[in-house]
Amino acid sequence: MNDTAVPMISVRGLGKSFGGHRVLQGIDLDVRRGEVLTLIGPSGSGKTTVLRCMNFLEAYDEGEVRIRGALLGYRRGPDGRLLPESERIVAEVREPVAMVFQQFNLWPHMTALGNVMAPLTLAKRMPPERAQKLAMAALARVGMADRAGQRPGSLSGGQQQRVGIARALAASPEVLLLDEPTSALDPELVDEVLEVIKSLSRDGMTMVMVTHEMSFAAEVSDRIVFMERGRLVAQGTPDSIVYRPQNERVRAFLQPWVRRSLAGRAEPASINPAP
Amino acid sequence: MNAPTLLERLAGYLPLLAHGAATTLLVSLVAIAAGFVLGAALLGLSRSRARLAAGAAAAYVSFFRGTPLLVQLLMLFYLPSAMGLELPPLAAAMLAMTLNSAAFQCEILRAGLASIPAGQIEAAASFGIARRQVFRHIELPQIARAVWPAVVSEAIDVVKNSAIVSVIAVADLARVGRQLVASTYRPLEVFMAVGVVYLVMTAAIFALGSWLGARMGGGRAGARRIVEQAAGGQP
Amino acid sequence: MNAIDMGVLLGLLPDFGTAALRTLALLAAAVAGGLLIGFIANLARELGPPLFARLYWVYTAVWRGVPFLVHLFIVYFGLPSAGLALSPFQAAALTLAVYSGAYFAEIFRACWRAIPAGQIEAARAAGLSRRQVFAVIQCPQALRAAVPLIANQAILVLKESALASVITYPELTMTAGRIVAVQFTYVEPYLLLALCYWLLAAAIARAGRLLARRTAIDAMVKK
């Protein structure tokens, strides 16, 4: 599964400030083909900002983000400085990356099918018949094919988010970015979305996810990254980060979750303090 | 012969008031329709990257929203004659009301565009959809629903504002009222009849607007929004 | 286009100055009266029997559904035949106060509604009477929220005050018209007229922003 070729996404020395406030500092990260990478950490740790820098929804100030080796958002000037790149080139570079949003961001005046087709017909200029086939396939993949003709207004939150995932999948992306995909959902609707994400990971989809669902993150991820105050503090397998946290700060962060898990469910055997 | 009763007198006013109301509605319709087109053009100009165009649009809107309609009407009627151009009263009235309404409709459209959640635009951009396509396929279709209550409010305001054109001798409802008073010496009942006719017109616009707003998919919420928008409307 | 004669323009300033004061007098009377009427109307609607709510609805619907000019004609030309003859200023101020009162009432109603129901519930549960809730919970927050809306409405009242010229109150618009008729210069008087209103509106907007900032409370409901 590990590719010795160029990583899907490569982040080097990433830095970002909002106004005077430093949000990201010195982030180094690689996302390899087929792996599921999850970013966790407290609010304000910058994990969502890292995600949004990966498809240039936020312009980073320092460092580099490369998608399959190609520099994203900038080009190197003759003196080596970063110069802003044209919109067209940026769109080309980030084409293999698709995003799923916390607030779904569906277009309310279009049907579910319309939402999934729009990026294909508008951005990729695909003929409608072909776009419709791909869109229906994507909707079927997330279990929403029977509601293709309904508008977001008549769908539940979980259904809307699944349409959002279908919309991201329809363009056959190589990497899926998921920004807290279940945070805006009522608790009983969370599972249906997590199931879809799980099945995508089983199919080998490369994913970078920001989430607060710790059990899910531990279950589905190949690698978990813990961030705090704009810096990457620890990374490793689910075992070394969530189940047997070796880093003191990670342990402190997970403490409330551990307490709640122990109170309600039969997972105590997996939660051991580091020796 | 007995003097005519109140009811008979009111019945006598009706044909003249109807004529006046027709003129009022004509002027209002032109102002709203032409004002919409001009307002949309102004919005486009104000979003242009050419600073001169954007600045001119901003100045236009600031002037026509910041000064009384009566002043604008007087300027548009009297200033051309100082330059040797004779503008007929009806034309000056339609022009002034159109230019005035355009400024307000520009702001209504601007607010409508801004009310579309930014996340939708962001999602479209992230999928590589070009700016122009985003406007055509994402923003434009949602604009009608977003601005409808404010448009209904503006239509009501235009009808009410149109009474001002009576000062430059356009034969609208208000002017007909003044003429009737001059011939009947009954100012209280004539002007109250005029008021009732205006009330009927604005109420009809409100009812029609609410009904159309509900049909546009706002449902009850759409109709309710129109009521609330009207609450914030201008005199 | 005729060039603007600065000499003529400067010569107009004294007349326009007095006229502006008259406009401001009318504006002040109308806004003060309108705020009072609007507040009482809203209070009556909030605390009074259901009848008052219906009367409130009739007042705001009828007064806002008829052009201000017609209101003015009814009061200035119509009332004398019923025994009440008012001077142009009195008629304009009274009519504008009652007219803008309907709009202020709706502003107050909107700001009252903007306070989360939960706060009212908590107060009632703690034993406060409806009157106490009105005075102690709703008024302080709603009135602060209303400040920018009131400033905006005051600008609209300013623009409407130009109609007082039609019933011969010598405010800005009538003064400009008089000067034009007497002196046969069109450009300078009308330009100065537009400028005066524009400056007055900007001043009101500024005052409104300052007042809003001074009275704001951070954790308050934002309208």
Side-chain angles (χ1 to χ4, degrees), chain C residues 74-95:
Chain C
I74 291 175
V75 169
Y76 188 66
F77 294 124
L79 285 187
S81 64
L84 184 61
L86 297 169
S87 78
F89 176 77
Q90 290 169 337
L94 177 68
T95 314

Side-chain angles (χ1 to χ4, degrees), chain B residues 41-53:
Chain B
L42 275 167
L43 183 65
L45 260 179
S46 73
R47 273 149 67 101
S48 123
R49 268 173 245 176
R51 293 226 317 259
L52 194 63

Side-chain angles (χ1 to χ4, degrees), chain A residues 18-50:
Chain A
F18 280 115
H21 179 54
R22 205 163 223 327
V23 171
L24 291 180
Q25 178 97 9
I27 308 286
D28 289 326
L29 210 50
D30 273 343
V31 182
R32 296 181 280 270
R33 179 186 295 282
E35 86 168 316
V36 176
L37 177 74
T38 300
L39 305 172
I40 65 171
S43 313
S45 56
K47 47 194 199 295
T48 293
T49 311
V50 168

Side-chain angles (χ1 to χ4, degrees), chain C residues 36-205:
Chain C
L36 188 63
I37 294 172
F39 184 81
I40 293 175
N42 185 52
L43 180 118
R45 182 195 56 80
E46 268 291 311
L47 295 181
L51 170 68
F52 283 9
R54 275 194 286 265
L55 288 175
Y56 173 95
W57 188 86
V58 170
Y59 167 49
T60 51
V62 170
W63 255 258
R64 295 186 307 156
V66 176
F68 176 61
L69 191 63
V70 176
H71 285 287
L72 212 50
F73 288 167
I74 291 175
V75 169
Y76 188 66
F77 294 124
L79 285 187
S81 64
L84 184 61
L86 297 169
S87 78
F89 176 77
Q90 290 169 337
L94 177 68
T95 314
L96 198 47
V98 181
Y99 183 74
S100 63
Y103 287 89
F104 285 125
E106 282 294 274
I107 287 176
F108 288 133
R109 182 173 75 95
C111 289
W112 251 252
R113 271 186 43 176
I115 296 173
Q119 288 189 28
I120 319 288
E121 275 168 21
R124 301 282 283 140
L128 274 70
S129 73
R130 286 181 67 199
R131 266 185 225 171
Q132 288 173 316
V133 170
F134 183 91
V136 172
I137 309 288
Q138 293 176 309
C139 269
Q141 297 185 72
L143 290 178
R144 283 188 172 85
V147 169
L149 299 173
I150 290 174
N152 190 54
Q153 190 65 36
I155 292 176
L156 302 178
V157 173
L158 169 72
K159 295 199 287 176
E160 212 68 52
S161 75
L163 289 177
S165 61
V166 180
I167 60 167
T168 70
Y169 175 59
E171 45 68 74
L172 276 167
T173 304
M174 176 163 164
T175 301
R178 174 176 59 80
I179 291 174
V180 163
V182 163
Q183 295 187 11
F184 291 106
T185 52
Y186 291 102
V187 177
E188 290 82 1
Y190 279 130
L191 275 178
L192 195 52
L193 180 64
L195 189 67
C196 282
Y197 278 111
W198 195 76
L199 285 173
L200 283 172
I204 296 175

Side-chain angles (χ1 to χ4, degrees), chain B residues 26-40 97-98 101-102 105 158:
Chain B
L26 173 68
V27 173
S28 303
L29 207 62
V30 169
I32 295 169
F36 177 81
V37 173
L38 184 56
M97 297 214 53
T98 296
S101 185
Q105 296 203 50
V158 166

Side-chain angles (χ1 to χ4, degrees), chain A residues 57-208:
Chain A
L57 277 181
E58 303 285 356
Y60 51 93
D61 302 323
E62 287 165 19
E64 285 187 354
V65 173
R66 287 181 183 272
I67 308 213
R68 305 233 289 174
L71 184 59
L72 174 65
Y74 299 100
R75 57 189 162 81
R76 287 259 169 227
D79 52 354
R81 279 193 314 135
L82 286 179
L83 301 169
E85 183 56 277
S86 74
E87 263 184 56
R88 197 174 49 83
I89 306 278
V90 171
E92 261 178 50
V93 172
R94 72 166 171 207
E95 200 255 338
V97 181
M99 190 147 188
V100 174
F101 297 87
Q102 182 179 352
Q103 302 293 338
F104 331 139
N105 288 342
L106 296 181
W107 303 305
H109 55 295
M110 300 182 190
T111 61
L113 181 63
N115 264 274
V116 179
M117 279 175 66
L120 301 174
T121 55
L122 295 178
K124 299 197 195 285
R125 306 189 183 280
M126 214 181 269
E129 310 83 44
R130 185 160 163 246
Q132 186 166 325
K133 276 209 200 84
L134 290 173
M136 284 305 296
L139 283 169
R141 182 72 185 74
V142 303
M144 290 294 297
D146 54 338
R147 293 183 192 271
Q150 292 188 335
R151 291 206 162 79
S154 52
L155 299 175
S156 77
Q159 293 168 334
Q160 289 185 55
Q161 188 61 298
R162 286 192 279 150
V163 174
I165 295 176
R167 181 175 63 176
L169 288 178
S172 309
E174 313 220 18
V175 186
L176 212 56
L177 303 179
L178 299 110
D179 180 12
E180 300 202 37
T182 59
S183 293
L185 296 176
D186 290 335
E188 68 271 16
L189 301 173
V190 165
D191 281 338
E192 69 191 66
V193 174
L194 295 183
E195 277 309 312
V196 170
I197 299 175
K198 226 182 285 186
S199 91
L200 289 176
S201 77
R202 281 196 292 267
D203 287 350
M205 172 68 79
T206 314
M207 295 194 280
V208 184

Side-chain angles (χ1 to χ4, degrees), chain B residues 60-129:
Chain B
Y60 176 102
V61 169
S62 176
F63 174 78
F64 278 99
R65 277 171 34 122
T67 58
L69 174 63
L70 179 58
V71 172
Q72 297 160 14
L73 181 67
L74 293 173
M75 287 175 82
L76 276 158
F77 187 56
Y78 289 114
L79 285 181
S81 63
M83 296 193 292
L85 250 140
E86 277 303 322
L87 204 57
L90 187 61
M94 287 186 185
L95 181 65
M97 297 214 53
T98 296
L99 294 179
N100 181 278
S101 185
F104 286 93
Q105 296 203 50
C106 172
E107 289 305 292
I108 288 172
L109 288 171
R110 184 197 306 278
L113 267 180
S115 77
I116 296 171
Q120 291 183 29
I121 316 293
E122 201 175 67
S126 81
F127 285 112
I129 302 177

